[in-house]
């Protein structure tokens, strides 16, 4: 099943590298990048009829951080079609535990994204979407 991939990170180099890695994976998906949670949230508000999405979400960003984005996306009626992989440099145990409180979070990974992480995430997404 086809799905969108949304990368949210305030580091332009990380956005570029992760987008290239995903595009090389040859998945039939559309990849969008955003510099903060507010830009990503606006995308979801404007594209409410879009296909399911996998969001690769950083935590520490200006304007709207990852936690604030998770709060907002949880409150959207479309939230069930949004799956989140926290992709962050934070190794704080509080962040790992806090991420588990959000039903949309399916994974917690340290940056940078690797080909192995990418393959595992896509397999997990395919499984989740096939069970719907």
């Amino acid at each position: 099943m086809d799905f969108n991939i949304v990368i949210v990170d305030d580091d332009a180099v990380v956005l570029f590298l992760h987008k290239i890695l995903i595009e090389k994976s040859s998945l039939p998906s559309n990849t969008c990048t955003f510099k903060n949670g507010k830009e990503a949230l606006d995308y979801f508000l404007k594209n409410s009829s879009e296909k399911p999405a996998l969001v690769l979400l950083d935590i520490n960003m200006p304007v709207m951080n990852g936690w604030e984005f998770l709060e907002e996306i949880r409150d959207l009626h479309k939230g069930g079609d949004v799956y989140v992989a926290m992709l962050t440099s934070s190794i704080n145990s509080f962040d790992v535990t806090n991420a588990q409180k959000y039903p949309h979070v399916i994974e917690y990974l340290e940056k940078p994204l690797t080909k192995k992480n990418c393959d595992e995430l896509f397999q997990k997404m395919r499984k989740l979407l096939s069970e719907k």
Side-chain angles (χ1 to χ4, degrees):
M1 177 178 257
D2 199 16
F3 56 92
N4 290 329
I5 298 174
V6 176
I7 309 169
V8 188
D9 198 302
D10 60 325
D11 185 329
V13 173
V14 169
L15 286 175
F16 176 76
L17 292 174
H18 288 170
K19 185 173 183 180
I20 295 296
L21 179 64
I22 289 165
E23 288 172 352
K24 286 188 176 193
S25 71
S26 70
L27 276 174
S29 61
N30 179 37
T31 305
C32 303
T33 60
F34 301 100
K35 296 179 290 187
N36 60 64
K38 176 78 169 97
E39 289 179 3
L41 183 63
D42 290 346
Y43 165 81
F44 284 109
L45 291 170
K46 291 176 187 168
N47 298 289
S48 61
S49 64
E50 287 276 330
K51 52 192 161 190
L54 171 62
V55 179
L56 304 178
L57 183 65
D58 189 21
I59 294 175
N60 299 310
M61 297 175 288
V63 184
M64 177 184 280
N65 67 35
W67 301 124
E68 294 165 329
F69 173 83
L70 285 171
E71 289 292 327
E72 293 292 330
I73 207 75
R74 181 176 63 186
D75 294 340
L76 283 178
H77 66 88
K78 179 169 174 0
D81 293 335
V82 177
Y83 302 87
V84 178
M86 304 300 289
L87 186 58
T88 180
S89 55
S90 172
I91 56 171
N92 184 330
S93 62
F94 168 80
D95 290 336
V96 176
T97 303
N98 198 37
Q100 296 170 356
K101 296 177 185 173
Y102 293 90
H104 303 297
V105 175
I106 62 170
E107 196 67 63
Y108 189 98
L109 302 168
E110 282 185 53
K111 288 182 197 175
L113 187 64
T114 64
K115 180 168 177 5
K116 182 180 180 208
N117 293 143
C118 206
D119 292 343
E120 290 170 354
L121 274 174
F122 296 149
Q123 287 176 6
K124 187 176 271 193
M125 276 297 289
R126 286 188 189 111
K127 184 174 190 278
L128 289 168
L129 295 175
S130 71
E131 293 171 352
K132 278 198 138 191

